[in-house]
Amino acid sequence: MKSGKYRGGRHGDALPPWLRALVVLGAVFAVLLSARALDRGHDATVTYERALVCGGEECLHEETGEVRDRRTGETCTSNGTSGGTTAGGAPATIGGVAAGAGGAGGAPVTIGGGGGNAGTSCTRYHDVKVAWSGGSDWLGVAPETYEEAGAGDRARLRTWKGQVVRLEIDGHVRTYPPASESGLWWRVLLLWLGLGVGAWALVSGRRSDFYGLAVPWAMVAMATALFGPGLLMWSPPAFCGVLALLTLGLAFGARAAHRL
């Protein structure tokens, strides 16, 4: 009879071959899906960066809008729970519209005790609601812009495919990334997760190796998700290749460390 150490340390914690194959196939599917999404996001972002102000579909459009409302409050984190509280416990409004009415920028949600409780970290936000011929939206602005903006004020907008990418109110300018650029981080994260799981199942398949891989893998994955979209602008294929090599290196490193 084989010892428990042998069963658990060498073979007992390994996934069955058929399950490893399924994990690898699922990881390959996730990698292909996220790589395709990355390529599309990259192309859309490059097209945006090269776009000129004109009247065509692939153009930036100059719009004249109007400030309709504004709101301010705090987004708070306390004991791992996120929510929002407004100054004085109620959303700021002008024009008779409650700030908690929703829209881009997030509706404030009151959580127990507000931002004054110990252990609660809060960040104040300032939004203005702007309407133009193509629609309306809540847009985040600087505190100085919020203080000077009022209902009926004129706003100069620049839009890209219906999304506001530039706002100017009384000389105060704020720019916003297009959806194709702001959505790149989750595509990078999905690619990294797919590569990591696939490499682990292909190289080892042992749960103990996965535990050894989890911490460095998570650290590099988060850094890649945060800074990867900027690097992606150089070359999506090269970016994916570097990630694949890094993932395989971590997987082999975790396996080697487990054998020591």
Side-chain angles (χ1 to χ4, degrees), residues 74-81 83 85 111-123:
E74 294 177 339
T75 54
C76 300
T77 301
S78 177
N79 299 324
T81 303
T85 59
I111 60 175
N117 289 347
T120 300
S121 176
C122 297
T123 303

Side-chain angles (χ1 to χ4, degrees), residues 4-248:
K5 180 178 180 181
Y6 178 82
R7 293 197 308 272
R10 288 179 57 86
H11 301 290
D13 67 345
L15 297 179
W18 65 270
L19 185 55
R20 288 178 62 184
L22 287 179
V23 172
V24 171
L25 288 176
V28 169
F29 177 77
V31 168
L32 292 177
L33 181 66
S34 55
R36 185 176 182 183
L38 275 174
D39 189 55
R40 289 179 176 177
H42 168 265
D43 291 345
T45 302
V46 171
T47 301
Y48 162 73
E49 292 178 347
R50 296 175 179 175
L52 301 175
V53 177
C54 53
E57 182 179 352
E58 298 295 328
C59 297
L60 295 168
H61 297 273
E62 297 282 3
E63 305 274 0
T64 299
E66 180 181 302
V67 177
R68 295 289 178 83
D69 198 4
R70 65 178 187 173
R71 65 186 180 188
T72 184
E74 294 177 339
T75 54
C76 300
T77 301
S78 177
N79 299 324
T81 303
S82 296
T85 59
T86 58
T93 64
I94 62 174
V97 180
V109 179
T110 301
I111 60 175
N117 289 347
T120 300
S121 176
C122 297
T123 303
R124 177 162 291 278
Y125 64 84
H126 302 84
D127 296 339
V128 295
K129 186 175 185 179
V130 179
W132 67 99
S133 60
S136 64
D137 200 0
W138 284 99
L139 302 171
V141 296
E144 297 80 9
T145 308
Y146 176 84
E147 292 297 332
E148 297 182 15
D153 284 358
R154 182 172 176 268
R156 298 181 59 185
L157 308 172
R158 184 171 293 176
T159 62
W160 166 255
K161 297 185 180 298
Q163 177 191 355
V164 176
V165 294
R166 186 179 187 275
L167 169 67
E168 181 179 349
I169 302 176
D170 293 331
H172 299 284
V173 177
R174 179 75 175 266
T175 58
Y176 311 89
S180 59
E181 181 179 336
S182 58
L184 285 178
W185 73 270
W186 71 261
R187 298 181 179 113
V188 173
L189 185 58
L190 179 60
L191 173 67
W192 176 251
L193 293 176
L195 286 171
V197 173
W200 164 74
L202 185 65
V203 171
S204 170
R206 293 185 175 89
R207 289 185 291 273
S208 55
D209 290 345
F210 184 80
Y211 301 149
L213 174 65
V215 174
W217 180 29
M219 293 176 63
V220 179
M222 292 306 298
T224 305
L226 291 174
F227 302 105
L231 301 176
L232 181 65
M233 294 298 101
W234 292 91
S235 172
F239 177 79
C240 294
V242 170
L243 274 190
L245 291 176
L246 182 59
T247 303
L248 285 172

